[in-house]
Amino acid sequence: MGYRQIILKGDEILTKEDLHDVLEKAYGFGDYYGRNLDAFEDLMNTYDEIILLEIQQEEKLQKNLGEYYDSLWDIFKESINPVYRRIN
């Protein structure tokens, strides 16, 4: 089983669209990715790699995304193989 590193940077992710650009690129999702949290959760539930999630400038990311950030965080917490590192 491999792993995939995902870096979410609060100073670069200003909108939901920015977030889904990062997620789509990081995971290599194809045209089938619906670019919303329901689609992301569906794909996460079938993902078999360990995820090394690094969050930088978390307060900015929370401010930029609001409640959407909380929902995203819930998906990561409930995913099969997450490993987290928060860097502020």
Side-chain angles (χ1 to χ4, degrees):
M1 179 183 298
Y3 74 91
R4 184 173 301 267
Q5 182 175 13
I6 309 295
I7 300 173
L8 301 178
K9 298 179 181 180
D11 63 344
E12 294 179 4
I13 298 173
L14 306 177
T15 66
K16 295 174 191 177
E17 291 76 20
D18 293 339
L19 171 67
H20 288 289
D21 288 344
V22 171
L23 296 175
E24 187 173 14
K25 182 177 179 182
Y27 285 96
F29 296 150
D31 293 336
Y32 54 87
Y33 179 49
R35 297 180 59 84
N36 61 62
L37 290 181
D38 287 335
F40 181 67
E41 183 173 23
D42 289 345
L43 290 169
M44 285 294 292
N45 287 332
T46 62
Y47 211 71
D48 63 354
E49 287 185 310
I50 294 172
I51 299 161
L52 302 173
L53 176 63
E54 182 175 313
I55 301 174
Q56 298 176 359
Q57 302 96 26
E58 183 175 20
E59 288 181 13
K60 286 183 183 179
L61 191 59
Q62 287 174 315
K63 181 181 176 188
N64 295 344
L65 298 178
E67 291 180 10
Y68 205 77
Y69 173 84
D70 298 330
S71 298
L72 173 70
W73 186 242
D74 288 342
I75 293 169
F76 277 119
K77 287 190 304 189
E78 295 170 6
S79 67
I80 298 169
N81 296 312
V83 176
Y84 309 108
R85 183 170 89 185
R86 290 174 160 162
I87 299 175
N88 290 315

